[in-house]
Amino acid sequence: MDKRKPIFDQRLIDIVNNYIEEKDNPNTPVTHHLPPDELRQKIDLSLPEDGCSMEELYGIIEQYLSFSVRTGHLQFFNQLWSGFSFPGLLGELFTSLTNTSMYTYEVAPMATLMETELIEKMGAICRFEKPEGLLLSGGSNGNLQAMMIARNRALPNLKKEGFSDSSRLTAFISEESHYSFEKNANILGLGTESVRKVKTNDLGEMIPSELAKAIEISLQQGERPFFVGATAGTVVKGAFDPLEKIVPITQQYNLWLHVDGSFGGSTLLSPKYRILMQGLEKADSFVWNAHKLMGLPIICSIFLVRERGHLLRTNSVEGADYIFHDEVYGTFDLGSKSMQCGRKVDSLKLWLAWKYYGDKGYTQRINRIFELAAYAEEIVKENPALELMIPRSSVNICFRYLPSQRNDLNQFNLKLREDLARSGKSMVNYAHLDKNLVIRLVITNPELTNEDIDLFFDNLIQTAKSQERN
Ligand SMILES: *Cc1c(COP(=O)(O)O)cnc(C)c1O
């Protein structure tokens, strides 16, 4: 078979540009959903003995694109991220083109300096005094890194000797926190029951006095509190825990305070909304997903510590000198302070995007997202067929549709959401608030207009009305 040396030819460029352009065409469906069995029948997934031609691969790539969910589409509201970033795409492309790993300056010189610059920039935005940090593989893993630092701080011998007969370490998060804290307690050998969920108020914010109470109860039981995980932007309600009131409690009990800003961290970029995170400068660590509100391709996540030294102390081990040669550029190498060995270059895309949009571009982006979310909330409030289930804290709007026959609202709204997605018109997710199933509309794409939001509600209400008729 003719295996030419492949380069970008016109056909490939057209495939990419068509895909980018189609997302802005109102007639393009958000998704072309098929159940797994049917999808499997449409595509030849078998891996052959003899390889295929580049032409055939192009055809398969086109199929892949046509069955992918268009997350850059203006009617995609399903996750805590959406939209499309061209500088981000370029970053991904050139990251793969140059294919390297972040362990040493020697093999990733520009990327290492870019990452270092980003850590300094973001550390300064957090107002951390002597920040250190790393780009790592997601918010969950940022929460893991924070818990690991805190665990080793509480038990300094543990890194070498493992657990001995010490009292149980307990971590405190809120009822609305991300599930990764429990996963991490499992990974770290603490046990999921060591994670205590502090009560939240009506908006979903951790109640400081309940935190203090939970810590006291744990102490009375002979346990050893070591960690508090506060959240800046909870996944369902978009709530921000009151950091300023949590800081004195963690200081009083000498606990590590980590802030999970995976979702809401980017509000720091707006002078108007960063007030939601007041007190962050006194937290010990912070994770921030640039792939959510900053719109970068997944994964782009930054972990920051207020004071230098913790990352290396927690992560370094002996026996890595085959890769790290301290003699040469040791102080520049990021690898020894990372949990990972090979680590993808995520700095290029974020650095390029930041260069392109500037601080001002991101400030406008965050302000715009909040403005759009306020508009969406107003629509819900004004329409008697819609019920706002909780006041909006940031960019999440939790509501439900009220049909004229109100016997099973949960069932109705679940079906509404499924039918809407299957129609390919709009995609939005749902969640539970206590026993109520709610539609969770999340506004994360600043390219939306009010008309796009109107269209979303039109699509939803139309689908609901035809459901009512049946
Ligand atoms: C998305 C999210 C996470 C998980 O981040 P990943 O990058 O998906 O691992 C954790 N916490 C919060 C609050 C989130 O919104």
Side-chain angles (χ1 to χ4, degrees):
M1 189 183 302
D2 172 31
K3 296 253 179 191
R4 286 176 292 127
K5 212 175 224 170
I7 53 162
F8 276 82
D9 55 15
Q10 195 54 45
R11 173 148 177 238
L12 195 56
I13 294 169
D14 290 344
I15 290 175
V16 175
N17 283 337
N18 284 343
Y19 186 77
I20 294 174
E21 277 162 13
E22 273 168 9
K23 79 180 166 56
D24 296 329
N25 178 344
N27 297 321
T28 305
V30 187
T31 170
H32 182 175
H33 180 83
L34 290 177
D37 286 346
E38 282 175 48
L39 183 55
R40 203 176 276 132
Q41 278 165 18
K42 293 247 178 205
I43 332 158
D44 179 11
L45 287 170
S46 66
L47 294 169
E49 201 163 315
D50 292 319
C52 73
S53 66
M54 200 40 78
E55 275 303 297
E56 275 179 82
L57 274 197
Y58 283 9
I60 296 164
I61 286 169
E62 285 180 308
Q63 267 191 322
Y64 185 88
L65 293 179
S66 76
F67 287 110
S68 67
V69 174
R70 289 180 181 267
T71 61
H73 196 291
L74 297 170
Q75 289 298 317
F76 179 83
F77 303 96
N78 210 63
Q79 310 303 137
L80 298 173
W81 43 267
S82 64
F84 170 69
S85 160
F86 195 70
L89 174 67
L90 292 182
E92 288 286 1
L93 177 65
F94 291 104
T95 292
S96 289
L97 184 68
T98 51
N99 189 42
T100 193
S101 174
M102 286 306 301
Y103 22 62
T104 60
Y105 172 82
E106 189 176 47
V107 291
M110 280 278 281
T112 298
L113 296 183
M114 284 172 164
E115 178 157 330
T116 306
E117 183 69 26
L118 285 166
I119 296 300
E120 271 176 32
K121 172 101 185 166
M122 297 178 115
I125 291 173
C126 294
R127 299 183 185 149
F128 282 169
E129 260 162 53
K130 292 181 254 163
E132 67 169 352
L134 279 175
L135 268 61
L136 45 66
S137 50
S140 300
N141 290 345
N143 292 339
L144 173 65
Q145 180 68 82
M147 288 177 85
M148 188 174 160
I149 293 175
R151 182 197 64 177
N152 291 15
R153 171 177 173 263
L155 302 176
N157 295 332
L158 178 140
K159 181 177 170 184
K160 280 198 171 153
E161 297 167 12
F163 280 102
S164 53
D165 295 334
S166 67
S167 39
R168 172 176 229 165
L169 293 181
T170 47
F172 299 80
I173 59 169
S174 90
E175 299 169 320
E176 299 287 331
S177 293
H178 190 255
Y179 64 81
S180 55
F181 289 104
E182 281 166 278
K183 282 193 174 246
N184 297 337
N186 177 22
I187 295 169
L188 294 171
L190 305 170
T192 54
E193 285 178 7
S194 300
V195 178
R196 306 291 153 78
K197 295 181 184 173
V198 177
K199 283 207 185 78
T200 54
N201 65 14
D202 294 346
L203 292 173
E205 302 160 355
M206 184 188 281
I207 303 172
S209 60
E210 292 289 337
L211 171 64
K213 209 190 285 176
I215 294 169
E216 278 297 335
I217 290 172
S218 179
L219 284 170
Q220 279 158 24
Q221 290 169 348
E223 297 165 342
R224 212 160 143 201
F226 79 107
F227 174 90
V228 173
T231 305
T234 61
V235 290
V236 176
K237 300 175 180 172
F240 285 71
D241 288 341
L243 302 179
E244 256 193 329
K245 296 195 179 121
I246 292 172
V247 165
I249 299 172
T250 55
Q251 285 174 345
Q252 181 191 338
Y253 293 99
N254 189 25
L255 311 183
W256 185 270
L257 174 58
H258 170 67
V259 178
D260 177 5
S262 298
F263 180 35
S266 305
T267 51
L268 285 173
L269 298 166
S270 160
K272 185 167 172 193
Y273 292 105
R274 70 170 290 152
I275 192 149
L276 290 166
M277 297 176 69
Q278 204 142 2
L280 174 72
E281 64 283 357
K282 295 186 210 99
D284 296 295
S285 60
F286 179 53
V287 66
W288 173 355
N289 275 349
H291 66 251
K292 285 182 174 161
L293 296 183
M294 284 176 93
L296 271 300
I298 293 167
I299 293 282
C300 194
S301 190
I302 302 92
F303 177 76
L304 292 154
V305 186
R306 179 166 45 86
E307 292 208 338
R308 245 166 274 172
H310 289 284
L311 277 170
L312 188 64
R313 201 174 312 130
T314 305
N315 291 315
S316 69
V317 288
E318 280 158 28
D321 57 344
Y322 77 94
I323 199 166
F324 303 114
H325 310 299
D326 285 347
E327 298 78 12
V328 198
Y329 294 121
T331 51
F332 287 91
D333 293 348
L334 300 176
S336 20
K337 50 182 189 180
S338 164
M339 285 193 282
Q340 295 165 258
C341 173
R343 187 162 61 95
K344 197 186 155 195
V345 174
D346 286 327
S347 54
L348 178 61
K349 60 187 174 189
L350 180 55
W351 193 94
L352 288 177
W354 213 316
K355 187 78 175 173
Y356 181 71
Y357 295 112
D359 295 343
K360 283 190 185 146
Y362 280 115
T363 300
Q364 282 164 7
R365 179 186 176 95
I366 299 303
N367 290 349
R368 178 69 184 143
I369 291 171
F370 272 75
E371 202 175 276
L372 288 160
Y375 178 75
E377 185 189 30
E378 273 317 299
I379 294 183
V380 173
K381 279 185 182 164
E382 282 168 16
N383 191 328
L386 303 176
E387 182 183 11
L388 185 68
M389 299 301 282
I390 179 173
R392 177 182 62 88
S393 287
S394 55
V395 298
N396 302 23
I397 298 106
C398 294
F399 69 98
R400 62 183 175 183
Y401 182 85
L402 301 172
S404 43
Q405 297 283 327
R406 294 185 190 174
N407 29 28
D408 194 344
L409 288 178
N410 284 1
Q411 195 52 41
F412 187 95
N413 279 276
L414 179 63
K415 184 165 185 321
L416 168 57
R417 182 262 167 196
E418 299 296 304
D419 287 353
L420 184 60
R422 300 296 175 262
S423 75
K425 288 182 191 154
S426 305
M427 258 183 104
V428 67
N429 224 324
Y430 69 95
H432 286 91
L433 293 187
D434 294 324
K435 293 194 180 73
N436 295 321
L437 187 144
V438 300
I439 306 222
R440 181 198 67 169
L441 177 66
V442 203
I443 307 291
T444 59
N445 185 354
E447 284 172 25
L448 294 169
T449 59
N450 288 359
E451 288 69 38
D452 294 315
I453 292 178
D454 292 341
L455 178 62
F456 164 75
F457 284 106
D458 287 349
N459 289 341
L460 178 108
I461 289 166
Q462 236 179 44
T463 310
K465 291 227 182 299
S466 75
Q467 197 174 311
E468 278 188 280
R469 282 194 294 271
N470 290 328

